[in-house]
């Protein structure tokens, strides 16, 4: 029977056996699919949506059948720590099609972010599926860090902003919440979806607009993902860009934090 994990590490899964510590604790190798989320004191946000996105992505690339995935998810849920702050990642390994769980402590959570304004040509090979391009995106972030930023903007060949290396990009134009058009190569973000749904319920206009980095000058820009939630851009590195006060972000962050719910028993 799978027991609750209390320490970080890589776990592998097999039917009937459940999850067990991997013989090789160095996570590596190409991933077909990955998904991750914040667990804080046993609470998580939009857990079912992460499950659905992971299952859909596994199905798209010939992964395990739904029954096998369901058993893995149940065992994985049971071993997630219920105390502390964690950033677990579920994985489908390329080649072996092995299902795995990487239990990681959550890094410090940010309330703002410095964004590299150079605009990086999108290097992803499978932009609509999280997993295959994680190593490539990590290199993009390291280049941004070398310039004094925390994140980098990915752009289309036209110069249109797509997203960042680890988050969706949203911004405000007057009272309209804006984001790139869905026909562009974008990861289907769980947190971005939650934000858009709240905007619709609140009567806030949503618009899909193509903008270059320069056209975000003077806008309230947010990076949104499952780890940090909503982070307003507090500064741009490498280009003289104006940053207005993030008037909306605080209230929206509080709302998003309020969506955290206890993990299922597994």
């Amino acid at each position: 029977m799978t027991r609750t994990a209390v320490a970080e590490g890589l776990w592998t899964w097999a039917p009937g056996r459940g999850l067990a510590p991997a013989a090789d604790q160095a996570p590596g190798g190409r991933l077909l699919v990955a998904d991750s989320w914040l667990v804080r004191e046993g609470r998580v946000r939009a857990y079912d949506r992460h499950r659905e996105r992971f299952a859909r992505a596994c199905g798209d690339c010939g992964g395990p059948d739904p029954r096998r995935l369901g058993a893995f998810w149940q065992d994985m849920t049971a071993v997630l720590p219920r105390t502390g702050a964690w950033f677990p990642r579920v994985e489908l390994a390329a080649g072996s099609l092995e299902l795995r769980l990487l239990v990681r402590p959550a890094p410090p959570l940010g309330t703002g972010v410095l964004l590299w304004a150079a605009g990086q040509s999108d290097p992803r090979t499978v932009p609509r599926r999280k997993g295959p391009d994680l190593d490539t995106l990590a290199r993009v972030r390291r280049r941004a860090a070398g310039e004094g930023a925390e994140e980098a903007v990915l752009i289309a060949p036209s110069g249109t902003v797509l997203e960042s290396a680890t988050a969706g990009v949203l911004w405000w134009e007057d009272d309209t919440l804006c984001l790139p058009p869905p026909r562009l190569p974008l990861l289907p973000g769980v947190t971005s979806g939650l934000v858009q749904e709240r905007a619709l319920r609140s009567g806030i206009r949503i618009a899909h607009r193509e903008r270059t980095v320069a056209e975000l000058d003077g806008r309230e820009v947010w990076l949104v993902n499952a780890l940090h939630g909503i982070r307003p851009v507090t500064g741009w590195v490498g280009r003289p860009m104006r940053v207005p006060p993030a008037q909306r972000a605080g209230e929206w962050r509080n709302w998003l934090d309020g969506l955290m719910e206890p993990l299922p028993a597994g």
Side-chain angles (χ1 to χ4, degrees), residues 1 36 90 92 117 134 136 139 174 223 231 241:
M1 182 176 179
S36 50
V90 287
L92 178 67
L134 287 179
T136 299
R139 289 194 292 272
D174 299 320
L223 297 193
R231 286 182 295 171
M241 301 264 291

Side-chain angles (χ1 to χ4, degrees), residues 30 120-140 143 153-157 160-168 180 184-189:
R30 190 169 183 268
Q120 303 299 294
S121 296
D122 187 2
R124 295 171 298 175
T125 58
V126 192
R128 297 186 186 275
R129 178 169 19 111
K130 186 174 180 179
D133 298 299
L134 287 179
D135 289 343
T136 299
L137 293 171
R139 289 194 292 272
V140 171
R143 288 200 297 271
V153 176
L154 305 180
I155 60 172
T160 297
V161 168
L162 298 172
E163 49 199 315
S164 85
T166 65
L184 295 175
L186 304 168
L187 184 73

Side-chain angles (χ1 to χ4, degrees), residues 177 179 191-201 206 208:
L177 179 65
L179 63 157
T191 307
S192 177
L194 292 172
V195 171
Q196 292 174 64
E197 288 171 14
R198 191 207 185 198
L200 287 172
R201 290 195 303 270
I206 296 176
H208 294 95

